[in-house]
Every structure is written in structure tokens, then in C-alpha cells.
Amino acid sequence: SLFANGARSCDPQPIPEHLLGKPLFPTVTFRNVSLQVNFGSAPMAPLPFTCTMLSEAAAADVELAPRPGGDGFQVVFPVGLPEQGYFD
């Protein structure tokens, strides 16, 4: 589900069958918005239910991806032009 300021913004979406039991990596795709993501230990606004926040998850419930080796990290910023896009 998606929540904005503690209120549900849409109906819950089921996890596809082929992804059940596999590690899920949070991914957010957006356009023309500002976005704030909270992976902390407490919700930023009260929720209508209780849940374990990501930073409080048990070690058995998370999978750490290995750090890439080498001299540094590479950041890629996709840039699209109006009416052109970068979605091909």
C-alpha cells in the first residue's frame, strides 16, 4: 500500500506469485514530484496499523546485497528531454 501523511492513498496490491518468498528491494518510480522515503525506526506519521520498520527488521528477514568492489561508486542520472523521454 501507499500511504501519504499516514493516510492510505490506494488499495493494497498483492505480491505477484513468482516473487513470494524472495527478497524485495524497495523501488520508487516518480515523475515531477518531490519524494521523501523513511527507512528509519519509526513512522513519520501515525499509521492505522502496526508494522515493523525496515531498520528494525530481524536479520533473518532481510538480505544485504554485497558492496561493489573497486575504487569507487558510479551514480547514473537518467536525463530525458521534453517530448523525447528516456523510456525506450
Side-chain angles (χ1 to χ4, degrees), residues 2-10 45-48:
L2 176 67
F3 286 81
N5 298 323
R8 188 183 301 271
S9 297
C10 67
L47 297 172

Side-chain angles (χ1 to χ4, degrees), residues 13-60:
Q13 301 295 311
I15 296 175
E17 188 100 9
H18 68 280
L19 295 176
L20 291 174
K22 295 183 179 178
L24 302 177
F25 299 94
T27 303
V28 180
T29 304
F30 57 91
R31 181 178 177 178
N32 297 327
V33 298
S34 294
L35 179 71
Q36 183 177 12
V37 179
N38 176 18
F39 293 129
S41 60
M44 298 174 94
L47 297 172
F49 55 87
T50 58
C51 65
T52 302
M53 299 296 286
L54 186 59
S55 68
E56 301 295 319

